[in-house]
Amino acid sequence: MSKKLLLKDAHIEGIRYFETYRKQGGYTAAEKALKMTPDEILEEVKASGLRGRGGAGFPTGMKWSFLAKPEGVPRHLVVNADESEPGTFKDRYLMEFLPHVLIEGMLISSYCLGSNVSYIYIRGEYSWIPDILEEAIEEAKAAGFLGKNILGTGFDCEIYVQRGGGAYICGEETALLESLEGKRGNPRLKPPFPAVKGLWERPTVVNNVESIAAIVPIIDITGAEYAKIGVGRSTGTKLISACGNINKPGVYEIDMTITVEEFIYSDEYCGGIKDGKKLKACIPGGSSVPIVPANLLLRTVNGEPRYMNYESLADGGFATGTMMGSGGFIVLDEDQCIVEHTMTLARFYNHESCGQCTPCREGTGWMYKILKKIEKGEGKMEDIDLLWDIQRKIEGNTICPLGDAAAWPVAAAIRHFRDEFEWHVKNPELSQTQNYGLAHY
Ligand code: SF4
């Protein structure tokens, strides 16, 4: 059984409220942190090995150490709660059921970074959650954990919740900052990075909800103890939102030592494939990471078991591996059509492209149109090569990672399931009435 740090009290009735959270030991990590110096906290975060839980997996302590500290210029912490990656809903779970873990994590992080005004930018579709967060903020303030002179330390901190308008691109940190400033959410060219010029051109750290929540157990048990959980550079615990053709969709906390096979088939987690069907493929890190067929998902090319951690999932690179990404674990059974699935994703990325750069604006639309044609049985063999060519021209040629995110699913689908694309071309009549999965398994 995986160790629980973030969700250990999730089953307790009323844990959403300050009184219950406090009775369970809530805000003791904040009390401990406020007796430390900001540098001591930073050292604990570095020692923990925590990697950003939003998708990129960049070491959080290192990111914090890049924060510029010019004299007299305010700094900000911005929590990225714009959880819009298809298949990802673990931050929603944290904010909805354990809002005080996030608020406590924000207090500690704000103190460490020197942010007196911090923000939570939340996606517009999570319409009911800002009220939960604002209530938690008010409770923390009433108890002296936010506001002026917190616990007599002289440190002031206010937290504000800002609702987004429902654009996927605002999950990209610089687009988020533009939106938070009241502008259209277009990604900025980097450099300068937010750590130097972020919100209103002030030094800013943007971190994912889960990353900031993880600061609470890190301070609680120390960074060194946190680093002992997990394996290698995949330290601590990770929240995984599991969905698709499985018996038990939901949010699970794992310690990154379990195998993918155990995660899918164990009753503790996904409980196996629905209706006893066969596993066809999986996207383990949200829709932007490469899809992996069952044989490469359960084992690497060397025959080693594949584990639920950053290194093992990526083993073999994009040719045979994938990425931990945001932890949005999407399972596809034998009946799913990969071409239709890829087309659905292409439509999503085309719709969400902000339109600033040509390869993304035009390329995502072309990919969607070609995929639609193939899926309907109206494609030609050359269309598959054209699709491959377009995704190659998008990857690495755009301002922000949305271009790559749109290209990778198409590349992986063609690489691993080219036979399905060809089946659609060769069987135009069947393409319109049944999918490849039903016809071949
Ligand atoms: Fe906009 Fe796409 Fe360019 Fe990102 S890659 S800036 S979403 S057009």
Side-chain angles (χ1 to χ4, degrees), residues 256-267:
M256 296 195 268
T257 58
I258 61 169
T259 63
V260 172
E261 190 163 4
E262 187 183 349
F263 185 70
I264 294 176
Y265 290 102
S266 152
D267 279 342

Side-chain angles (χ1 to χ4, degrees), residues 75-103:
R75 304 187 282 274
H76 296 289
L77 167 69
V78 176
V79 169
N80 186 345
D82 193 71
E83 188 181 48
S84 311
E85 182 80 359
T88 312
F89 45 91
K90 43 100 184 168
D91 292 341
R92 181 185 79 190
Y93 186 92
L94 261 183
M95 292 186 287
E96 185 170 357
F97 298 106
L98 295 150
H100 279 287
V101 181
L102 174 61
I103 304 305

